Amino acid sequence: MISTPTTTPVNWQQEMSRAVREPADLIERLGLPPECTEPARRAAQLFPLRVPESYLRRMQQGNPSDPLLRQVLPLDAEFDEVPGYVSDPLEESDSHLAAGLLKKYSGRALMIVTGQCAIHCRYCFRRHYPYAEEPQGLTAWEPAIAAIEADTELREILLSGGDPLMLSDRKLHWLTDRLDAIPHLQRLRIHTRLPIVLPSRITAELISWLQNLRMTPFVVVHANHPQEIQADCADSLRTLVRSGIPVLNQSVLLQGVNDNVDALTELSERLTNLGVIPYYLHQTDHVAGTAHFAVDETKGLELIAEMRRRLPGYAVPTFVQELPGEMHKLPLSP
């Protein structure tokens, strides 16, 4: 692990401002071979690098194969053109109810509330998403809110992005006050990686906001490897769970990161010990620039079968794949 900085950020916004954005800085901080620098610099032109200090501190010094580093280090493999790997593999562009509002499944819709993330995961299924075309700011969300009000079939709204917790508390309050006033909405789901990569975002004010919603809140986090679930990250998850907020985890099966049963089993152990439910293990989406992360479905099935032999049923995630046009995620294991 790398050393802890001598100064502690006052708040999560300050910590975010100090995130590592230059490949040369990341490589120097981790003591990686200098020959890693130029490929990383090239690939960062396709999709920028961003790594918060907290996440960086959990990486191993001098290890180019570190499973956390693998998730964020730009590589030349991102330039590979692989048949079937496209910019919008889930065809989300065909699912808009209104600007910034997607409806793919019955009874629920997803709001793209920001294009910003605290970390740029190289396998991101929205790395090519046209965020600039989506609403920017409070008044721009009005058409989406009107569409939600008009669709009485909706029971649940998912806040996504980007990462919705990159919004300020003020904007979150404004948006959810509007949603809370829509009587047919019963649940609010927040899909976020910030409790994992920027744990300082989990503040007393954020917890209070969640606890005071009329809608029942669910927080769905995203961790892929047990090395992520330690120190301030474990503290943030424990805080969420003990505040009474249901917390679930989604992982993506990634070559060189978690494509072995020991890593997946320990991840589930660490999550369940904190009260976080292992929810889904996703087969990778066929996103252009991410083919080097793909794991064969057969291997994924073998991993899940072995996890069942090692863990209680509630600690084994459902292995799924999302395909365009389907009414739900498709389970790949019985």
Side-chain angles (χ1 to χ4, degrees):
M1 305 298 175
I2 66 174
S3 60
T4 303
T6 55
T7 58
T8 302
V10 173
N11 56 43
W12 68 271
Q13 290 101 331
Q14 287 189 353
E15 187 176 356
M16 193 65 254
S17 72
R18 300 175 188 181
V20 175
R21 290 172 168 81
E22 293 297 328
D25 293 344
L26 178 67
I27 288 162
E28 181 181 1
R29 290 280 302 278
L30 290 171
L32 298 175
E35 54 266 27
C36 296
T37 304
E38 193 52 39
R41 185 179 290 118
R42 286 195 295 268
Q45 300 303 308
L46 292 175
F47 186 47
L49 172 76
R50 182 179 291 177
V51 187
E53 285 283 350
S54 170
Y55 199 74
L56 183 61
R57 289 196 296 271
R58 290 172 250 163
M59 296 180 190
Q60 300 165 352
Q61 276 282 342
N63 181 8
S65 299
D66 175 77
L68 275 59
L69 176 66
R70 282 271 300 163
Q71 296 179 57
V72 300
L73 180 65
L75 299 173
D76 270 342
E78 296 176 37
F79 288 94
D80 294 345
E81 295 186 6
V82 179
Y85 282 75
V86 296
S87 60
D88 183 15
L90 303 182
E91 299 178 4
E92 291 191 320
S93 59
D94 298 331
S95 302
H96 281 78
L97 274 183
L101 184 67
L102 308 179
K103 185 180 181 184
K104 296 190 284 186
Y105 304 137
S106 175
R108 52 205 186 273
L110 181 150
M111 290 188 74
I112 301 287
V113 297
T114 179
Q116 295 296 311
C117 285
I119 196 166
H120 287 172
C121 304
R122 308 313 297 179
Y123 53 87
C124 179
F125 76 103
R126 290 200 181 117
R127 60 183 283 163
H128 305 289
Y129 193 89
Y131 289 110
E133 299 174 11
E134 299 292 18
Q136 308 291 321
L138 303 182
T139 57
W141 289 335
E142 291 290 355
I145 293 170
I148 293 168
E149 289 175 325
D151 189 346
T152 57
E153 181 203 43
L154 292 175
R155 295 291 179 268
E156 181 174 14
I157 294 297
L158 287 68
L159 301 187
S160 186
D163 195 306
L165 293 191
M166 290 293 285
L167 295 180
S168 68
D169 288 348
R170 180 182 68 86
K171 288 185 176 180
L172 286 171
H173 276 288
W174 184 93
L175 177 59
T176 53
D177 283 350
R178 296 297 307 279
L179 295 173
D180 242 359
I182 300 173
H184 55 263
L185 294 183
Q186 301 300 316
R187 299 180 300 278
L188 182 75
R189 200 188 321 171
I190 299 116
H191 281 229
T192 177
R193 189 140 155 79
L194 265 69
I196 308 300
V197 304
L198 192 72
S200 57
R201 180 64 180 100
I202 306 306
T203 62
E205 292 77 15
L206 187 78
I207 295 292
S208 178
W209 161 65
L210 289 167
Q211 290 175 325
N212 286 287
L213 291 168
R214 175 192 61 82
M215 299 175 288
T216 300
F218 290 80
V219 174
V220 181
V221 299
H222 175 189
N224 296 313
H225 192 274
Q227 193 174 306
E228 294 174 308
I229 312 300
Q230 58 175 303
D232 53 350
C233 170
D235 291 341
S236 79
L237 294 174
R238 186 181 293 108
T239 297
L240 279 169
V241 170
R242 293 188 178 179
S243 70
I245 310 299
V247 184
L248 301 87
N249 181 68
Q250 296 191 105
S251 302
V252 181
L253 184 58
L254 301 167
Q255 186 178 117
V257 174
N258 59 8
D259 56 339
N260 67 86
V261 71
D262 290 339
L264 289 174
T265 299
E266 186 179 352
L267 174 62
S268 281
E269 289 270 19
R270 293 194 184 191
L271 290 168
T272 53
N273 289 346
L274 292 167
V276 177
I277 299 169
Y279 177 34
Y280 282 148
L281 174 66
H282 285 264
Q283 184 73 332
T284 52
D285 299 311
H286 286 188
V287 183
T290 70
H292 55 293
F293 284 112
V295 178
D296 186 78
E297 180 183 321
T298 301
K299 183 171 183 179
L301 292 169
E302 292 171 352
L303 292 169
I304 289 290
E306 181 58 29
M307 289 179 74
R308 287 201 179 106
R309 286 189 278 271
R310 299 187 183 193
L311 295 167
Y314 61 80
V316 180
T318 302
F319 186 34
V320 297
Q321 183 171 28
E322 187 168 4
L323 295 175
E326 294 291 342
M327 296 304 295
H328 54 80
K329 292 180 175 64
L330 301 179
L332 297 175
S333 54

